[in-house]
Amino acid sequence: MEIRALVADQRLLDQAAEILTLAFAEHWPGAWPTLDDAREEMQEALLPERVGFLALIEGNVVGWIGGQSSYDGNVWELHPLAVHPDYQGHGIGRALVQALEAECHARGGLTLMLGSDDEAFLTSASGIDVYPNPLQHLATIQNRRRHPFEFYQRCGFSIIGMIPDANGLGKPDILMAKRLGVWSSQLPTGGLE
């Protein structure tokens, strides 16, 4: 497997767009419902303020990842990550996440974050009213049917919150993040000592 930076190669972009629709078809069919929607996402991924990587096997795309900067470059958002269903579970997603982490850190990023929607009731935080205490539900979240939050936890991400009803009633967006680099104990105290 080869990981390389996303480039404006139409053959590779078309393959990545097809993977985007395939990877999200079962549980998130509204994300990129058509190949044209996925192609539009691929064009946006090429914007100068974004970064992306492709995973290739024998010259063909089997996965890709994108990222975009926010908070003046301190935080990067992982969006999206897609691996062809036939290649999931073989370390490709992890390799793509590692490539994105390294690039975001090299660009001065301190945190990498993501939102992982639960539109298909894959976790115990979906299909219920999480109010008045959404964080209580997150503290005991269970994965019922292969929601990707556990994959991201294995990659070092922590659940940091959720947006209840982000995708409709009882369909939250689970927010996750991880630090890029090492914590420094030499932070300025701002006069507080």
Side-chain angles (χ1 to χ4, degrees):
M1 176 183 56
E2 174 190 2
I3 303 291
R4 75 163 76 148
L6 184 65
V7 293
D9 177 315
Q10 197 57 52
R11 180 183 74 84
L12 298 178
L13 292 173
D14 284 345
Q15 289 179 5
E18 185 176 345
I19 289 168
L20 192 56
T21 59
L22 288 172
F24 284 81
E26 182 179 355
H27 296 300
W28 299 277
W32 294 278
T34 69
L35 199 49
D36 285 340
D37 293 324
R39 285 186 177 121
E40 186 177 319
E41 178 69 30
M42 296 309 305
Q43 291 305 310
E44 291 175 14
L46 293 170
L47 294 172
E49 63 271 13
R50 298 192 55 186
V51 297
F53 293 92
L54 300 170
L56 296 107
I57 294 179
E58 297 179 5
N60 293 307
V61 178
V62 294
W64 79 278
I65 194 169
Q68 53 194 353
S69 173
S70 60
Y71 294 94
D72 295 324
N74 290 321
V75 177
W76 284 76
E77 179 185 4
L78 184 163
H79 177 77
L81 170 60
V83 175
H84 191 288
D86 293 343
Y87 290 91
Q88 292 176 5
H90 300 294
I92 294 168
R94 183 180 300 267
L96 286 165
V97 169
Q98 289 170 346
L100 183 64
E101 288 174 9
E103 181 64 24
C104 294
H105 182 62
R107 292 177 181 227
L110 303 173
T111 296
L112 183 60
M113 61 89 54
L114 62 95
S116 189
D117 295 310
D118 188 359
E119 296 180 41
F121 309 105
L122 303 178
T123 72
S124 60
S126 64
I128 62 171
D129 184 1
V130 297
Y131 289 107
N133 193 349
L135 295 180
Q136 179 182 9
H137 293 280
L138 281 182
T140 58
I141 192 169
Q142 294 177 354
N143 199 339
R144 294 181 174 150
R145 292 185 295 134
R146 295 194 65 216
H147 187 278
F149 84 83
E150 287 182 328
F151 161 78
Y152 289 115
Q153 286 177 321
R154 289 190 300 274
C155 290
F157 287 83
S158 298
I159 295 175
I160 59 168
M162 81 167 136
I163 304 172
D165 307 326
N167 301 289
L169 198 59
K171 298 177 181 181
D173 190 3
I174 299 167
L175 305 177
M176 304 184 78
K178 76 179 290 185
R179 175 171 291 115
L180 301 174
V182 179
W183 175 259
S184 173
S185 61
Q186 304 300 317
L187 293 175
T189 61
L192 302 174
E193 294 181 43

